[in-house]
Amino acid sequence: MLFSRLQLAVSGEFAKFSKGQWLETVKFQWRTFKDPNLKRQFKQLSVLGTAALPEDKYEKYEKTVADMESIYSKAKICAYNNSEKCDLSLEPEMTEILANSRNEAELKHIWTEWRKQTGATIRPLYNDYVKLLNEAARLNNFTDAAEYWLNSYDTPDFKEQVAELWKQLRPFYLEVHAYMRRKLREKYGESIVSKRGPIPAHLLGNMWAQTWGNIAELGIPYPDVKPEDITKYLVQQKFTPLKMFKTAEEFFTSINLSPMTEEFWKYSVIEKPKDRDIVCHASAWDFYNGRDFRIKQCTEVSEEDFVTVHHEMGHIEYYMQYKDQPFIYREGANPGFHEAIGDVIALSVITPKHLSRIGLLPNVTQSKEADLNYLMKVALDKIVFLPFGYLMDLWRWQVFKGTIPEKDYNCEWWKLRLNYQGVKPPTVRSEKDFDPAAKYHIVSSTPYIRYFVSFILQFQFHEALCTRAGEFDPNNPSEKPLHQCDIYQSKEAGNLLKTVLEMGSSKPWPDALEVITGQRNMDAGPLLSYFAPIHNWLKEENKKSGEYVGWESTEKGDI
């Protein structure tokens, strides 16, 4: 409670400061300015955000979000078949069970109980949140909060661009879905996983079925060619959370980016505190004084967290590179850029080539079979995420616009999950439930389309940086495949990346994209090129096995 009051007090003070800036800004006829840089700064300052609310409503908005986050962070459930043990948190206990258990009844219990502890309690608060955010949007001269959020992309046809990108990528997702449905049917039986229906969401290794990498062992194309267990090597080599962070720092300095600051090491939270509950969702923070940058992460010694550390440190690098820009430009070129920077580093970090170079893996031998296994594992994270990354904000845009009314929140959520992901809940859901609130970004009011955008951009960035590093030749991709590229120790690639990071949001994002890739539009081509070998394999495999590609919704409980 003390932290919450302090947080609200600081937030209130900052809102007053921002409103003061805004009131000064709107006195000027900035739209007539000739200097494009000055005009851009005024344009960005003219959007105040939630601080435009009257003070009492602003305080109510901040408290509503804080209360939703508090419910989420403190939620605990009882263990399966053990009603005496009721201290399971999302991180790490529930996450580990969903990743590792193959007991269908246990998975259903964890999935259902988490939603009981979050959604139903949060739902009344969410209705207030929607009304207040829409009011703030209108005070900023937007029609609703959907238009307010989309303003960050400064592109009139942004929604149409994203829809077209998904249309390009959907056929690949359908092949992954069909193949993994067959593998899950072989594991659990047709009574649980049907031949032509959606996949039950609790079987996919993740609380939200947003990535399926945790069940990769069920779908590896060549199971006799065993993938390396990175977690095992991390443990064997006595990695700690601190050593994982130091290893990530060394990657960034090897490409001529900056080491972490003294304040970073002093104030970051890199392990779960034992004396208090916190939201363990990893996040990076810029305190805007040019020195104080921090990460909050409940780090476990695992392959997944090893990659996450690099991702979060990518945010910190972005903060450090644009720290000398005017305050208003200290953000990503668009929100997707920030997420893409850490992920583009991770595309190098996860390669067997890189892990071998840093001594984490024994020497690895490349083969077609090993390559396909590797690409399948990556696809179960990257390709599988795309429809979830898209529908999170499709749902919220419609909620904000009122086309999804309060009475239909949960039903419409599951219609989108079914339509875009082809997944269904393991138990019948109703409007007494509020399953969107089982996801942190919903309760924390964090827009999500940035992650979809970042998954497109990171492969565009990866292709450009790999080309600059001499690790990829677009004219001869079979010689050095894009999925084998590692930009580690390439100062040429790092210097190109640094040029974009230093820009912050001082230029429209197509300008920043053009600096690094030579293109001004988002393009799914590099992503499809990266995964082409496994995409082709999946099409052949599904055809050979006679697997139905797509899904039919005829069963009660699909939504």
Side-chain angles (χ1 to χ4, degrees):
M1 283 297 293
L2 176 63
F3 171 74
S4 226
R5 286 198 298 270
L6 179 61
Q7 184 184 38
L8 290 170
V10 171
S11 180
E13 285 302 310
F14 183 69
K16 289 177 185 175
F17 167 76
S18 299
K19 188 172 280 189
Q21 278 192 316
W22 178 68
L23 289 170
E24 288 299 311
T25 300
V26 295
K27 291 177 182 177
F28 292 85
Q29 299 296 316
W30 57 267
R31 289 180 179 82
T32 65
F33 290 177
K34 303 299 183 188
D35 184 320
N37 178 50
L38 192 61
K39 188 175 182 178
R40 182 170 178 78
Q41 290 191 53
F42 268 80
K43 181 182 179 182
Q44 291 185 222
L45 283 166
S46 71
V47 179
L48 178 57
T50 54
L53 289 165
E55 190 172 339
D56 60 333
K57 289 188 175 181
Y58 176 80
E59 187 174 324
K60 183 179 179 183
Y61 171 83
E62 288 289 298
K63 187 176 185 306
T64 300
V65 174
D67 287 347
M68 290 194 294
E69 288 188 325
S70 177
I71 293 166
Y72 189 96
S73 68
K74 293 174 182 176
K76 289 181 170 60
I77 70 167
C78 298
Y80 176 65
N81 278 348
N82 186 353
S83 58
E84 300 298 315
K85 182 173 174 54
C86 294
D87 59 351
L88 272 60
S89 297
L90 177 63
E91 298 284 355
E93 293 90 1
M94 284 183 256
T95 298
E96 289 178 356
I97 292 167
L98 287 166
N100 299 311
S101 173
R102 299 296 176 256
N103 180 331
E104 191 271 337
E106 180 180 29
L107 295 172
K108 183 186 289 186
H109 168 82
I110 298 295
W111 190 97
T112 306
E113 291 302 309
W114 171 249
R115 283 157 178 77
K116 281 183 185 175
Q117 296 303 318
T118 51
T121 312
I122 287 171
R123 184 165 186 155
L125 294 168
Y126 200 79
N127 295 336
D128 290 339
Y129 154 79
V130 169
K131 291 170 187 171
L132 289 164
L133 190 60
N134 269 336
E135 183 174 342
R138 289 189 288 272
L139 290 169
N140 283 274
N141 296 314
F142 298 104
T143 54
D144 50 55
E147 299 307 315
Y148 164 48
W149 278 10
L150 286 163
N151 180 65
S152 300
Y153 295 91
D154 201 20
T155 310
D157 65 342
F158 176 76
K159 284 197 287 189
E160 290 75 18
Q161 287 188 35
V162 173
E164 184 58 34
L165 287 166
W166 171 239
K167 186 177 175 183
Q168 285 180 261
L169 295 162
R170 186 173 183 269
F172 185 8
Y173 175 76
L174 292 181
E175 299 290 347
V176 177
H177 180 280
Y179 175 76
M180 289 305 295
R181 179 179 55 201
R182 175 163 67 92
K183 293 299 178 180
L184 287 162
R185 189 168 65 250
E186 291 170 1
K187 172 69 177 175
Y188 293 103
E190 197 171 336
S191 63
I192 294 173
V193 183
S194 66
K195 283 187 175 181
R196 299 166 72 93
I199 300 172
H202 65 306
L203 303 179
L204 293 163
N206 173 272
M207 182 61 85
W208 311 280
Q210 67 181 55
T211 56
W212 306 351
N214 288 325
I215 61 164
E217 84 280 0
L218 299 178
I220 290 297
Y222 296 95
D224 292 338
V225 181
K226 297 294 183 187
E228 298 287 1
D229 183 348
I230 309 306
T231 298
K232 179 183 77 174
Y233 289 110
L234 287 165
V235 172
Q236 281 182 355
Q237 296 186 32
K238 294 182 169 54
F239 269 74
T240 62
L242 180 60
K243 187 175 179 182
M244 290 163 69
F245 274 82
K246 290 289 187 181
T247 302
E249 179 187 45
E250 198 273 329
F251 188 107
F252 286 99
T253 57
S254 85
I255 61 172
N256 206 33
L257 294 180
S258 304
M260 299 297 101
T261 64
E262 181 181 340
E263 289 84 351
F264 174 88
W265 295 114
K266 184 175 180 181
Y267 297 119
S268 289
V269 175
I270 65 173
E271 295 188 65
K272 186 175 183 178
K274 293 182 171 61
D275 60 345
R276 63 192 185 279
D277 289 319
I278 66 169
V279 173
C280 275
H281 184 85
S283 54
W285 301 78
D286 182 357
F287 285 78
Y288 292 95
N289 63 3
R291 293 289 307 170
D292 194 350
F293 312 101
R294 309 179 197 179
I295 286 173
K296 173 185 67 66
Q297 181 175 335
C298 303
T299 315
E300 301 284 319
V301 178
S302 69
E303 177 181 3
E304 182 178 0
D305 278 11
F306 185 69
V307 174
T308 301
V309 167
H310 287 79
H311 173 91
E312 296 302 331
M313 201 170 280
H315 287 299
I316 301 295
E317 283 291 348
Y318 212 159
Y319 298 151
M320 289 196 289
Q321 299 306 325
Y322 61 53
K323 66 181 173 60
D324 295 324
Q325 288 282 357
F327 173 79
I328 196 64
Y329 289 156
R330 291 187 209 172
E331 58 185 8
N334 73 33
F337 267 66
H338 237 300
E339 299 302 329
I341 296 307
D343 274 355
V344 76
I345 298 301
L347 287 175
S348 287
V349 169
I350 61 176
T351 60
K353 177 179 177 179
H354 176 74
L355 296 170
S356 179
R357 287 174 77 181
I358 65 172
L360 190 54
L361 278 185
N363 288 330
V364 293
T365 304
Q366 293 291 340
S367 68
K368 176 188 173 184
E369 292 77 13
D371 257 14
L372 288 171
N373 283 352
Y374 168 76
L375 283 171
M376 186 67 194
K377 185 178 177 184
V378 180
L380 289 174
D381 284 334
K382 299 290 185 180
I383 301 304
V384 161
F385 175 80
L386 291 164
F388 184 82
Y390 186 25
L391 71 85
M392 279 274 287
D393 279 359
L394 275 182
W395 181 81
R396 284 190 286 190
W397 293 338
Q398 292 176 69
V399 166
F400 295 149
K401 287 184 174 299
T403 53
I404 295 180
E406 287 179 29
K407 67 182 181 65
D408 295 331
Y409 277 177
N410 212 48
C411 183
E412 293 300 323
W413 169 257
W414 280 107
K415 283 183 181 177
L416 288 170
R417 299 288 307 267
L418 177 66
N419 186 30
Y420 285 90
Q421 282 187 283
V423 302
K424 67 176 185 176
T427 58
V428 175
R429 315 306 287 163
S430 75
E431 289 303 329
K432 292 179 182 177
D433 304 302
F434 186 45
D435 296 328
K439 179 66 179 170
Y440 174 69
H441 296 73
I442 297 286
V443 302
S444 66
S445 188
T446 305
Y448 210 74
I449 198 68
R450 64 183 63 178
Y451 299 102
F452 179 93
V453 169
S454 80
F455 274 46
I456 306 301
L457 293 176
Q458 67 187 253
F459 287 95
Q460 289 184 261
F461 294 170
H462 188 56
E463 185 179 81
L465 295 174
C466 290
T467 302
R468 181 63 63 92
E471 286 276 312
F472 175 69
D473 181 356
N475 298 314
N476 189 16
S478 60
E479 185 68 26
K480 292 181 178 180
L482 189 56
H483 65 269
Q484 292 179 4
C485 162
D486 171 23
I487 65 168
Y488 180 59
Q489 296 180 336
S490 171
K491 290 182 169 51
E492 295 79 10
N495 289 337
L496 175 59
L497 183 59
K498 183 187 287 190
T499 302
V500 174
L501 302 187
E502 289 173 343
M503 293 168 66
S505 64
S506 62
K507 300 286 184 183
W509 67 264
D511 292 2
L513 182 61
E514 187 174 25
V515 166
I516 192 168
T517 69
Q519 296 176 275
R520 294 186 61 81
N521 296 313
M522 291 185 287
D523 178 15
L527 182 152
L528 292 170
S529 173
Y530 181 100
F531 287 107
I534 194 64
H535 187 188
N536 292 331
W537 184 88
L538 284 166
K539 284 190 285 188
E540 292 174 12
E541 185 68 15
N542 287 331
K543 186 177 180 182
K544 184 170 65 178
S545 66
E547 188 68 18
Y548 179 71
V549 177
W551 51 85
E552 297 172 347
S553 174
T554 57
E555 304 167 66
K556 183 180 178 182
D558 280 0
I559 55 173

